[in-house]
């Protein structure tokens, strides 16, 4: 963690502390140390460096979580030799993955682009916010009926948060099934906005060349927020490559004999899902109350303009799938991440199988392997995350956090993924997201379309739609659902296999899912065609023939039949 310490003797005011950050941060001779904690003592030592005040200037890229879980940390040149001495004295094995972080930063961009930055946007480059927004505006000018740009809010530094809607017509329809994708909630994870832009291009160009994609986008639009933390992203480009948080103005507090002032909130700790909850065992490791910490959760849930803007938009237009792009470690993360062994009721029947299919499609492109599981099981517990909130509070059926390349193996530069990998990452990630989009289309849009086309609609697996009742056609989706309202343990067969999996001893109770998934009676249900635009669950909630006829155009509920 990087602390901005304002020594009383040297500078008294918060302004002075903030000013000290006005110079571009050099990482000359900073080291990236990679450790694979082999025992509890090593883990405890690393946790103490992460959670308590450490004598060294450290920045944890991958915090300590469990024995065998790779820990990446950078250390300032002035502290490197003492830290290394300390590690050696404790018998802790480590590698120096990067000897000069500044050099790695300079080689992250193609040599030519570092020396002579090209003008304008490039899909194979890490672009500035202006370049990204100009590209979105250009696409909109070229295809005004396919693309809608939506300003969803302003940041602390008055930057616009720009969502691009692709497909689904020009108006916003709160009832239409849709897919949300955001990137760049963490400023330094540059591959995420670059991948989001790649997906924008795939959708826009594919609309013209791929009839299946066109049909899908006509009924299931994508809402893409390529840079969720615009202030942080620009700060990371211009001042401090390793900046993570947003740019909330500095908060100062007295600490013994000095004043400490630090800026920024970790937006992925600021959502209202177990916000600021302490982890077990104490003290909190995944979410910090210290404004100087990289995982500072903010003064309250949704205290930040960026998280407020996303919440308000999603509450108005709740999607069927929520995807948040991050880096790094090649993991496809499923809710919930706030506690180990805490899962939504449809974890093993819906969320995980789809994640496995998506990551298989991803692997088929370039052989890139992803781990699948919850962030808490595979990494560390962390509360207040956006994908947990999307699933737990907003009830989005499919919610995921994707940690893109690279994997944290022996080599690999962590957040500094070379520009030459942008296109391969885009291609493989798109293959996975396509699987997800196809699933959303077939579950939430196709049933209506079949009816609309005048064909005899096929019986629908109601359980698959997350509704009461099942069809005789397909009971697999609901047969393993757990009682609603509690977190459940994933069956052993689907538990993450790559983690340290001590047998679960407790089940953590949460307010996870609404009671919409419990199967009731078996019945063959046929659909009546009342049109095309209503969502089935609304029909079911109403279950009033006249209301159904007035509002909705298709129902599969026998009680609502005409
Ligand atoms: O810490 C985060 O917010 C995410 N990792 S990152 O390196 N991109 O910052 C992971 C969050 C996933 N959830 C849990 N690990 N619980
Ligand atoms: Zn991240």
């Amino acid at each position: 963690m990087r602390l901005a310490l304002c020594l009383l003797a040297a500078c008294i005011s918060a302004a002075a502390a903030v000013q000290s950050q006005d110079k571009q941060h050099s990482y000359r001779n900073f080291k990236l140390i990679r450790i694979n904690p082999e025992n509890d003592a090593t883990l405890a030592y690393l946790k103490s460096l992460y959670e308590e005040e450490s004598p060294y200037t450290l920045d944890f890229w991958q915090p300590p979580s469990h024995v065998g879980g790779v820990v990446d940390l950078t250390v300032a040149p002035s502290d490197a030799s003492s830290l290394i001495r300390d590690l050696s004295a404790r018998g802790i094995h480590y590698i120096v993955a990067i000897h000069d972080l500044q050099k790695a930063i300079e080689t992250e961009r193609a040599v030519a682009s570092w020396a002579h930055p090209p003008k304008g946007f490039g899909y194979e480059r890490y672009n500035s916010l202006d370049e990204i927004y100009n590209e979105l505006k250009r696409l909109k000018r070229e295809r005004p009926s396919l693309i809608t740009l939506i300003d969803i809010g302003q940041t602390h530094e008055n930057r616009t948060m720009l969502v691009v809607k692709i497909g689904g017509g020009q108006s916003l329809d709160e009832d239409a099934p849709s897919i949300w994708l955001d990137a760049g909630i963490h400023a330094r994870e540059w591959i995420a906005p670059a991948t989001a832009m790649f997906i924008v291009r795939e959708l826009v160009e594919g609309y013209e060349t791929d009839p299946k994609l066109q049909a899908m986008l006509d009924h299931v639009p994508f809402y893409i927020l390529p840079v969720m933390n615009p202030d942080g992203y620009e700060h990371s480009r211009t001042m401090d490559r390793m900046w993570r948080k947003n740019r909330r103005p500095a908060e100062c507090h007295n600490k013994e004999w000095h004043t400490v002032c630090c800026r920024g909130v970790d937006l992925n700790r600021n959502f209202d899902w177990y916000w600021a909850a302490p982890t077990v065992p104490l003290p909190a490791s995944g979410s910090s109350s210290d404004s100087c910490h990289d995982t500072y959760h903010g003064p309250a849930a949704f205290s930040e303009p960026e998280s407020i803007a996303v919440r308000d938009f999603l509450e108005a237009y709740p999607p069927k799938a929520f995807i948040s792009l991050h880096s790094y470690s090649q993991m496809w993360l499923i809710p919930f991440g706030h506690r180990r062994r805490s899962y939504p009721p449809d974890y093993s029947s819906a969320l995980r199988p789809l994640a496995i299919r998506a990551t298989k499609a991803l692997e088929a492109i370039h052989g890139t392997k992803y781990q699948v599981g919850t962030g808490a099981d595979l990494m560390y517990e962390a509360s207040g995350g956006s994908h947990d909130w999307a699933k737990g509070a907003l009830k989005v059926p499919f919610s995921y956090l994707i940690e893109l390349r690279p994997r944290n193996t022996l080599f690999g530069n962590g957040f500094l993924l070379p520009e030459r990998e942008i296109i391969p990452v885009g291609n493989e990630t798109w293959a996975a997201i396509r699987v997800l989009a196809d699933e959303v289309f077939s579950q939430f849009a196709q049933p209506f379309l079949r009816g609309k086309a005048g064909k005899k609609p096929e019986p629908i697996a109601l359980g698959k739609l997350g509704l009461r009742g099942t069809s005789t056609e397909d009971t697999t989706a609901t047969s393993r659902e757990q009682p609603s309202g509690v977190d459940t343990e994933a069956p052993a067969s689907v538990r993450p296999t790559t983690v340290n999996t001590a047998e679960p001893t407790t089940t953590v109770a949460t307010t996870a899912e609404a009671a919409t998934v419990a199967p009731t009676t078996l019945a063959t249900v046929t659909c009546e065609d009342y049109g095309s635009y209503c969502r089935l669950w609304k029909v079911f909630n109403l279950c009033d023939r006249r209301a159904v006829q007035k509002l909705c155009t298709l129902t599969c509920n026998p009680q609502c039949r005409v």
Side-chain angles (χ1 to χ4, degrees):
M1 99 202 57
R2 277 164 281 120
L3 299 180
L5 291 184
C6 184
L7 299 181
L8 200 57
C11 58
I12 310 152
S13 70
V18 175
Q19 271 165 18
S20 70
Q21 297 173 356
D22 281 354
K23 275 204 331 272
Q24 191 173 28
H25 193 303
S26 167
Y27 285 95
R28 187 62 66 206
N29 292 325
F30 276 60
K31 320 270 176 231
L32 173 63
I33 311 275
R34 189 158 286 158
I35 303 166
N36 187 348
E38 288 158 316
N39 52 49
D40 287 337
T42 301
L43 189 65
Y45 171 66
L46 294 172
K47 280 194 171 173
S48 75
L49 290 181
Y50 180 58
E51 286 155 10
E52 291 147 35
E53 231 157 74
S54 127
Y56 312 118
T57 305
L58 303 177
D59 176 12
F60 280 83
W61 288 11
Q62 293 285 344
S65 57
H66 53 270
V67 170
V70 170
V71 175
D72 276 353
L73 59 93
T74 67
V75 58
S78 52
D79 292 337
S81 43
S82 357
L83 174 71
I84 284 172
R85 229 178 296 124
D86 197 1
L87 293 175
S88 306
R90 291 165 191 270
I92 298 174
H93 299 123
Y94 63 90
I95 60 161
V96 182
I98 299 179
H99 286 271
D100 180 359
L101 192 52
Q102 187 61 33
K103 208 163 156 197
I105 289 171
E106 286 160 19
T107 49
E108 175 186 35
R109 298 192 213 176
V111 178
S113 77
W114 178 260
H116 310 283
K119 294 247 173 316
F121 181 90
Y123 282 95
E124 68 301 334
R125 287 202 296 276
Y126 293 127
N127 300 282
S128 69
L129 187 74
D130 273 353
E131 287 163 345
I132 292 171
Y133 284 4
N134 285 338
E135 174 63 4
L136 294 179
K137 287 174 194 160
R138 187 189 72 77
L139 291 170
K140 162 79 187 160
R141 276 195 306 276
E142 277 190 357
R143 291 148 173 109
S145 57
L146 178 64
I147 293 171
T148 312
L149 298 183
I150 311 155
D151 171 351
I152 63 162
Q154 301 294 118
T155 64
H156 283 292
E157 294 175 349
N158 280 325
R159 291 188 176 87
T160 298
M161 296 180 66
L162 200 58
V163 166
V164 52
K165 178 188 182 218
I166 304 169
Q170 277 155 304
S171 58
L172 301 187
D173 177 359
E174 69 267 23
D175 286 335
S178 63
I179 296 173
W180 168 270
L181 185 142
D182 66 70
I185 190 171
H186 289 142
R188 62 192 176 186
E189 297 164 12
W190 289 5
I191 186 60
T195 305
M197 288 305 289
F198 182 97
I199 288 163
V200 167
R201 185 176 64 173
E202 286 301 306
L203 292 169
V204 168
E205 290 182 358
Y207 187 83
E208 272 142 35
T209 55
D210 178 346
K212 248 185 95 184
L213 186 62
Q214 185 179 113
M216 199 259 295
L217 282 176
D218 281 342
H219 300 95
V220 183
F222 269 70
Y223 290 97
I224 299 183
L225 173 60
V227 188
M228 183 172 159
N229 174 9
D231 294 349
Y233 184 68
E234 278 305 291
H235 190 73
S236 155
R237 287 182 57 85
T238 57
M239 304 302 289
D240 179 354
R241 174 66 189 87
M242 301 328 302
W243 187 258
R244 169 184 169 95
K245 301 186 280 182
N246 75 351
R247 295 293 292 162
R248 181 187 178 84
E251 278 168 21
C252 297
H253 52 273
N254 293 327
K255 221 171 189 181
E256 294 161 10
W257 50 275
H258 59 263
T259 305
V260 185
C261 304
C262 292
R263 293 188 73 146
V265 164
D266 182 348
L267 295 172
N268 207 33
R269 302 293 181 277
N270 192 240
F271 281 70
D272 197 5
W273 183 255
Y274 291 86
W275 176 81
T279 51
V280 180
L282 296 166
S285 62
S287 169
S288 175
S289 55
D290 177 351
S291 63
C292 293
H293 202 280
D294 252 355
T295 62
Y296 175 45
H297 50 49
F302 291 121
S303 57
E304 302 308 295
E306 297 88 354
S307 47
I308 290 172
V310 169
R311 176 199 64 192
D312 291 352
F313 185 83
L314 291 175
E315 282 180 352
Y317 304 101
K320 293 297 178 201
F322 171 98
I323 305 154
S324 190
L325 297 182
H326 289 244
S327 73
Y328 58 98
S329 56
Q330 293 175 204
M331 288 179 185
W332 190 287
L333 301 180
I334 308 171
F336 293 113
H338 68 284
R339 281 282 177 281
R340 288 196 210 293
R341 298 185 206 102
S342 172
Y343 314 96
D346 55 351
Y347 178 88
S348 49
S349 60
L351 286 157
R352 194 165 195 275
L354 185 57
I356 299 225
R357 277 206 285 131
T359 49
K360 276 194 178 141
L362 187 155
E363 188 180 346
I365 305 294
H366 297 298
T368 309
K369 288 193 190 308
Y370 268 62
Q371 291 171 281
V372 173
T374 75
D377 288 347
L378 291 176
M379 305 171 106
Y380 44 83
E381 295 179 340
S383 53
S386 67
H387 79 304
D388 278 358
W389 171 83
K391 179 67 187 172
L394 198 61
K395 313 279 183 237
V396 175
F398 295 107
S399 177
Y400 300 109
L401 182 157
I402 307 176
E403 296 277 9
L404 299 167
R405 290 195 202 177
R407 199 166 202 161
N408 45 4
T409 45
L410 219 54
F411 304 103
N413 284 359
F415 299 113
L416 306 173
L417 192 72
E419 275 185 334
R420 65 174 176 279
E421 293 198 45
I422 293 175
I423 301 298
V425 169
N427 272 316
E428 66 192 18
T429 311
W430 166 238
I433 286 174
R434 182 75 199 259
V435 170
L436 191 69
D438 286 346
E439 185 63 27
V440 169
F441 181 57
S442 66
Q443 278 200 30
F444 300 102
Q446 249 172 357
F448 302 103
L449 300 176
R450 282 202 205 102
K452 200 181 177 187
K455 287 184 208 150
K456 185 176 174 352
E458 284 164 26
I460 291 178
L462 299 179
K464 250 188 159 179
L465 294 168
L467 302 167
R468 274 185 198 286
T470 58
S471 78
T472 47
E473 305 296 308
D474 183 346
T475 54
T476 53
T478 53
S479 57
R480 279 179 286 134
E481 302 289 10
Q482 303 295 326
S484 58
V486 288
D487 281 8
T488 58
E489 288 168 16
S493 59
V494 297
R495 251 186 244 140
T497 49
T498 46
V499 252
N500 157 36
T501 47
E503 274 309 297
T505 47
T506 52
T507 300
V508 185
T510 74
T511 53
E513 282 262 301
T516 50
V517 290
T520 50
T521 51
L522 288 178
T524 304
V525 178
T526 53
C527 302
E528 296 296 327
D529 182 10
Y530 296 114
S532 66
Y533 66 90
C534 276
R535 289 192 299 186
L536 282 175
W537 69 266
K538 284 203 168 163
V539 178
F540 277 81
N541 282 353
L542 289 167
C543 208
D544 165 334
R545 211 177 82 184
R546 276 222 309 265
V548 168
Q549 279 180 310
K550 205 164 132 216
L551 286 172
C552 295
T553 48
L554 176 72
T555 176
C556 301
N557 185 338
Q559 291 168 335
C560 292
R561 274 213 214 146
V562 180

